[in-house]
Amino acid sequence: GDWNVPADLKYAKSDEWFRVDGDIVTIGLSDYAQDQLNDIVYVEFKGVGDSIDAGDSFGEVESVKAASELYSAVGGEITEINEDLEDTPETINGDPYGAGWLVKIKATDTSALDDLMDADEYSSYCDER
């Protein structure tokens, strides 16, 4: 496929991307995921200050086609949520790696991200589906 897969990110099989800056991990949905979901009409996240474990859901996106749980590959505390998406969830479709980011987590341990796919692996994974 011709999906945009930035090389500096890590990717989960559930189609979230992860960007690490120190112990702050920004999470978003991949270009492939927003394309599959189609028009995103609603988002819901857990709250700032909430603690989550690796593998936990931190929210949900709903599109005209389906609802999809959002998962974090790292545990920690949610420090920021993208409140703009409450009014304009379609930003995820238009700019999934930029203005359409979802949440930021202060991670207790970022080593779990080493197990995720890099851009090449994720591109192949998307093509196989």
Side-chain angles (χ1 to χ4, degrees), residues 16-19 24-29 43-48 50 52 56-60 70-74 77-83 85 92 96 98-106:
E16 296 86 9
W17 57 258
F18 299 83
R19 178 187 289 124
I24 300 294
V25 179
T26 303
I27 309 176
L29 264 186
V43 294
E44 185 173 31
F45 303 126
K46 289 190 169 173
V48 170
D50 285 358
I52 58 171
D56 279 0
S57 167
F58 62 84
E60 179 178 89
L70 300 163
Y71 296 99
S72 177
V74 294
E77 181 186 322
I78 297 174
T79 57
E80 212 177 323
I81 60 175
N82 189 347
E83 294 176 355
L85 298 179
I92 300 168
W101 64 275
L102 304 175
V103 300
K104 296 186 182 188
I105 292 176
K106 186 176 170 66

Side-chain angles (χ1 to χ4, degrees), residues 18-125:
F18 299 83
R19 178 187 289 124
V20 184
D21 183 15
D23 60 356
I24 300 294
V25 179
T26 303
I27 309 176
L29 264 186
S30 74
D31 189 33
Y32 173 88
Q34 70 77 21
D35 185 58
Q36 296 298 304
L37 279 166
N38 217 311
D39 295 331
I40 294 170
V41 294
Y42 180 73
V43 294
E44 185 173 31
F45 303 126
K46 289 190 169 173
V48 170
D50 285 358
S51 290
I52 58 171
D53 293 324
D56 279 0
S57 167
F58 62 84
E60 179 178 89
V61 294
E62 287 182 25
S63 74
V64 290
K65 287 208 311 199
S68 186
E69 291 278 334
L70 300 163
Y71 296 99
S72 177
V74 294
E77 181 186 322
I78 297 174
T79 57
E80 212 177 323
I81 60 175
N82 189 347
E83 294 176 355
D84 293 344
L85 298 179
E86 291 170 9
D87 296 324
T88 54
E90 65 273 11
T91 302
I92 300 168
N93 295 117
D95 191 8
Y97 301 109
W101 64 275
L102 304 175
V103 300
K104 296 186 182 188
I105 292 176
K106 186 176 170 66
T108 43
D109 181 4
T110 56
S111 64
L113 299 178
D114 297 340
D115 298 332
L116 298 179
M117 292 176 277
D118 64 19
D120 288 343
E121 290 167 325
Y122 184 67
S123 292
S124 301
Y125 174 66

